[in-house]
C-alpha cells in the first residue's frame, strides 16, 4: 500500500513540475528569410551625370552608372537562379528623389520594378535582362537632354521613404545608392547645431576639413549629417560612385567619413562606400554584396 502511495506522490510531483506549453505568438514580427532578397537602387540625377559639366574621358559617369545597374541586375538574377523555383520570393526596383519632370520616368520605373515568385515563367529572366539593358540608359539620356537637374534629396529619402520603399520585414533588404557623395537639395537644406542635411565642397572648406586631421575636427566639432532615421538595422547599403572635387586631397575621405558616421548613427550595420571606378572593377564587389558570400 505504501509503495502505491509513494508512486502516486512521485507522479503528482512530476506533473506539477511540467512546464506548461507556451502560447503561440500573436503579434510577432515576420521571420526574415535571408535567401529572399529585396534590392533597391536609388539614383542621384543631379548634374554629376552631365557630360558637359563633369566630363570623364575614360568613361562618362552616366555610362558607369548604367553599367553598375546592369551588374546589380546580374547579381540579382544570379541569386534567383541559385534557388529552387518553389522558394522564389524576391524583388528589385529603382527610385529617384525627387522625381524628374519627364513623365516618361514614371513609366521607366514601373517597368524596372520586378518580382519573382514560384509562378514566374522561365522567359521572365530574359525580359528582365532586356529591360535592365535598355531602360536605365533611357533614364539618364532623358535627364541629360532635359538638363533640369533636380538635385539629389537623399536625406529626405532616408527620412520619409526608405522604410516604406526599401524595407520588407520578411526579406534581406539591400539598397544601392549611385551618387558622387555630395548631398544637396534646396527644399531640404537645414542645419541643427553643427550637423547639416547636406554636404557640398563649399561646406567642407568652410569647416576647414582640408588637412590630415579632418577626423579630429569632425569629432571635436560634431560635424556630420543630421540623423534621418532611428533604426535601419535591417537594411544593407552600398554607395557607389564617390567622386570628390579636385583641390582638396582629403575631400574623398571627408565625404566617406560623413556617410559612414551617418549610417552608424542610423544603426545600419552592413554598409560599403565605394569611389567611382570602372564598372569592371566594381562588378565583383556588387556581385559579392548581393550574394552575401
Amino acid at each position: 500500500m505504501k509503495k502505491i502511495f509513494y508512486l502516486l506522490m512521485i507522479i503528482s510531483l512530476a506533473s506539477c513540475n511540467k512546464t506548461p506549453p507556451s502560447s503561440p505568438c500573436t503579434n510577432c514580427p515576420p521571420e526574415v528569410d535571408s535567401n529572399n532578397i529585396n534590392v533597391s537602387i536609388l539614383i542621384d540625377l543631379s548634374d554629376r551625370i552631365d557630360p558637359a559639366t563633369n566630363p570623364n574621358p575614360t568613361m562618362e559617369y552616366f555610362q558607369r552608372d548604367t553599367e553598375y545597374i546592369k551588374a546589380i541586375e546580374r547579381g540579382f538574377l544570379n541569386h534567383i537562379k541559385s534557388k529552387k523555383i518553389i522558394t522564389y520570393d524576391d524583388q528589385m526596383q529603382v527610385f529617384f528623389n525627387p522625381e524628374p519632370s519627364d513623365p516618361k520616368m514614371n513609366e521607366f520605373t514601373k517597368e524596372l520594378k520586378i518580382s519573382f515568385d514560384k509562378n514566374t515563367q522561365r522567359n521572365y529572366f530574359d525580359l528582365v535582362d532586356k529591360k535592365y539593358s535598355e531602360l536605365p540608359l533611357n533614364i539618364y539620356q532623358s535627364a541629360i537632354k532635359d538638363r533640369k537637374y533636380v538635385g539629389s534629396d537623399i536625406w529626405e529619402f532616408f527620412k520619409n521613404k526608405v522604410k516604406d520603399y526599401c524595407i520588407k520585414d520578411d526579406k534581406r533588404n539591400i539598397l544601392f545608392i549611385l551618387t558622387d557623395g555630395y548631398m544637396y537639395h534646396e527644399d531640404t537644406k537645414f542645419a541643427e547645431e553643427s550637423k547639416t542635411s547636406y554636404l557640398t565642397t563649399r561646406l567642407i572648406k568652410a569647416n576647414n576639413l582640408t588637412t590630415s586631421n579632418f577626423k579630429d575636427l569632425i569629432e571635436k566639432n560634431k560635424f556630420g549629417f543630421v540623423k534621418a532615421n532611428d533604426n535601419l538595422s535591417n537594411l544593407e547599403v552600398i554607395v557607389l560612385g564617390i567622386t570628390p572635387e579636385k583641390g582638396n586631397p582629403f575631400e574623398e575621405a571627408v565625404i566617406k567619413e560623413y556617410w559612414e558616421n551617418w549610417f552608424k548613427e542610423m544603426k545600419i550595420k552592413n554598409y560599403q562606400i565605394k569611389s567611382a571606378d570602372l564598372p569592371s572593377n566594381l562588378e565583383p564587389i556588387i556581385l559579392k554584396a548581393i550574394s552575401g558570400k
Side-chain angles (χ1 to χ4, degrees):
M1 190 70 180
K2 284 184 177 181
K3 288 183 179 179
I4 296 173
F5 174 75
Y6 286 131
L7 184 60
L8 290 171
M9 285 288 291
I10 291 169
I11 293 172
S12 176
L13 288 170
S15 64
C16 289
N17 290 329
K18 280 185 180 178
T19 305
S22 58
S23 57
C25 186
T26 53
N27 293 315
C28 295
E31 187 175 342
V32 175
D33 186 343
S34 59
N35 201 35
N36 295 333
I37 61 174
N38 172 41
V39 176
S40 302
I41 305 170
L42 176 61
I43 301 175
D44 171 356
L45 288 179
S46 63
D47 62 358
R48 73 178 185 92
I49 66 170
D50 188 352
T53 305
N54 297 298
N56 189 304
T58 306
M59 190 177 193
E60 298 291 2
Y61 291 111
F62 78 90
Q63 293 173 323
R64 295 175 189 235
D65 276 14
T66 58
E67 290 299 313
Y68 297 159
I69 293 170
K70 183 63 181 172
I72 294 168
E73 178 254 350
R74 190 176 297 116
F76 177 77
L77 293 186
N78 287 346
H79 169 79
I80 295 172
K81 289 175 182 177
S82 70
K83 300 167 54 174
K84 294 181 179 179
I85 294 175
I86 197 170
T87 66
Y88 286 4
D89 187 13
D90 309 83
Q91 65 185 65
M92 181 165 65
Q93 51 271 318
V94 172
F95 299 108
F96 323 105
N97 198 53
E99 295 177 356
S101 57
D102 187 348
K104 288 187 295 185
M105 291 293 197
N106 186 49
E107 294 303 316
F108 291 151
T109 54
K110 279 184 181 179
E111 289 291 315
L112 291 171
K113 185 167 186 176
I114 59 173
S115 60
F116 284 77
D117 59 35
K118 62 183 180 181
N119 298 313
T120 300
Q121 301 295 316
R122 292 298 300 179
N123 61 359
Y124 190 55
F125 284 91
D126 293 333
L127 179 60
V128 169
D129 198 52
K130 187 174 187 297
K131 287 180 178 181
Y132 271 81
S133 295
E134 299 174 358
L135 295 180
L137 183 58
N138 292 344
I139 288 171
Y140 284 92
Q141 288 175 336
S142 176
I144 292 169
K145 182 180 179 181
D146 185 44
R147 296 193 62 81
K148 294 179 181 177
Y149 299 109
V150 292
S152 174
D153 204 347
I154 296 173
W155 190 92
E156 193 271 340
F157 187 86
F158 269 81
K159 176 65 176 175
N160 298 318
K161 299 175 182 177
V162 74
K163 282 189 174 181
D164 290 335
Y165 292 5
C166 306
I167 296 178
K168 303 294 180 184
D169 292 336
D170 60 341
K171 291 179 175 60
R172 178 175 166 233
N173 302 289
I174 310 168
L175 170 62
F176 288 90
I177 305 175
L178 309 188
T179 180
D180 57 7
Y182 296 104
M183 199 186 298
Y184 181 85
H185 194 271
E186 59 184 10
D187 293 339
T188 316
K189 182 186 176 184
F190 69 94
E192 290 183 358
E193 297 179 347
S194 56
K195 293 186 181 293
T196 58
S197 63
Y198 61 95
L199 179 64
T200 62
T201 190
R202 181 179 295 180
L203 179 65
I204 290 173
K205 290 176 182 175
N207 289 341
N208 297 314
L209 302 175
T210 55
T211 58
S212 60
N213 69 334
F214 68 87
K215 280 192 177 184
D216 295 332
L217 290 174
I218 287 174
E219 185 176 352
K220 177 183 177 182
N221 296 288
K222 297 181 179 179
F223 292 140
F225 291 124
V226 176
K227 185 171 71 170
N229 226 303
D230 291 322
N231 186 359
L232 299 177
S233 58
N234 55 347
L235 180 68
E236 302 172 31
V237 183
I238 300 94
V239 181
L240 302 173
I242 300 299
T243 312
E245 290 194 19
K246 296 178 180 179
N248 173 12
F250 304 100
E251 187 105 351
E252 181 174 342
V254 169
I255 292 171
K256 290 182 177 180
E257 186 75 7
Y258 261 68
W259 281 83
E260 185 171 337
N261 292 342
W262 194 46
F263 288 156
K264 287 178 179 177
E265 195 171 14
M266 294 188 292
K267 296 183 175 60
I268 297 174
K269 300 173 185 176
N270 192 339
Y271 60 83
Q272 297 183 59
I273 306 165
K274 300 297 180 182
S275 302
D277 203 341
L278 292 175
S280 58
N281 293 332
L282 285 183
E283 181 170 349
I285 294 169
I286 293 170
L287 298 180
K288 186 176 180 181
I290 294 174
S291 68
K293 298 176 183 178

